Amino acid sequence: MSDAVRTLRALHRDRAAGDPLVLPGPWDAASARAFEAAGFPALATPSAGIAASLGYADGSTPAEEMLAQVARIVRAVSVPVTADVEDGYGLAPKELVERVLETGAVGVNLEDSDGSVLKDPREQAELLAAVRAEAGDALFVNARTDVYLRGAPGPAAAALERLRLYAAAGADCVYPIGAPPEDLPGLRAGLGAGLPVNHYARPGGPPFAELGRLGASRITFGPGLLNRTLDHVGLLAGELRAGGF
């Protein structure tokens, strides 16, 4: 186990209820350096943010380009980086693990939808188990379920069923993306206190400490930080058009 993955695992353990792990999502080397300089102890790349920065629609980035950008981000900072690799790009678990480790990342997000279609949960659990077997303790595995995004009926119960399977398959953390804050206590209770739960924070949502008290162990932002940055770029562009700076 590398020092970086050991650090990432330790950051998820024994957190106080009001102190979730906040992982900003860099989309390039410059943003990664800015987040590290602000004092964040680890970073989590967002696939949608990287896609936008490279000129692709979300879900359309070729694996080679996604992993190359992850490698640039890892090289730019000294803190651990975990990478969103979407649904694994159809790579066999051995190749996926090898290629992620080549980037220097020490964690992965793996989601359970293919395009707009949810995968069979048992097949996804088998994929996660295979990734865990190939990676051993070299990667921190965050298992994402998309039931909230895909409009599945009874999403809290459906998410809980899937996430229990994924935890049993070896996931280190689970991620019910799109779950509203009010569902966090039930998910937390159903999953048990020892399993970290990742929450997707949105602008205007509860403060991080409150999300932690509701049940979030870890907070990420998807492309939200890039989107806010682009809002500022738009304002700057307006100033330039008006003749000022």
Side-chain angles (χ1 to χ4, degrees), residues 4-5 8-9 12 23 43-47 66-67 70 74 80-89 91-112 124 127-145 166 170-175 196 198 218 220:
V5 73
L8 184 63
R9 290 184 189 283
H12 288 79
L23 296 179
L43 305 173
T45 69
S47 61
M66 181 66 72
L67 293 170
V70 170
V74 172
V81 176
T82 179
D84 182 348
V85 293
E86 302 181 277
D87 66 351
Y89 306 109
L91 299 173
K94 179 179 176 59
E95 183 179 2
L96 177 64
V97 168
E98 288 175 349
R99 292 181 68 176
V100 170
L101 290 175
E102 284 171 359
T103 70
V106 293
V108 288
N109 274 19
L110 280 166
E111 62 195 50
D112 64 359
Q124 181 69 4
L127 171 64
L128 291 165
V131 168
R132 168 55 67 216
E134 293 291 345
D137 60 7
L139 286 176
F140 186 93
V141 178
N142 188 32
R144 178 179 127 178
T145 184
Y166 302 164
D172 297 289
C173 183
V174 292
Y175 184 13
N198 191 151
R218 156 174 160 163
T220 55

Side-chain angles (χ1 to χ4, degrees), residues 12-83:
H12 288 79
R13 295 193 189 112
D14 302 323
R15 302 199 68 89
D19 182 33
L21 176 62
V22 178
L23 296 179
W27 53 91
D28 61 10
S31 58
R33 289 190 180 114
F35 292 135
E36 180 184 31
F40 289 98
L43 305 173
T45 69
S47 61
I50 288 179
S53 75
L54 296 177
Y56 290 100
D58 185 18
S60 300
T61 311
E64 292 76 12
E65 294 198 45
M66 181 66 72
L67 293 170
Q69 190 75 328
V70 170
R72 294 183 191 103
I73 289 167
V74 172
R75 288 197 301 268
V77 296
S78 60
V79 296
V81 176
T82 179

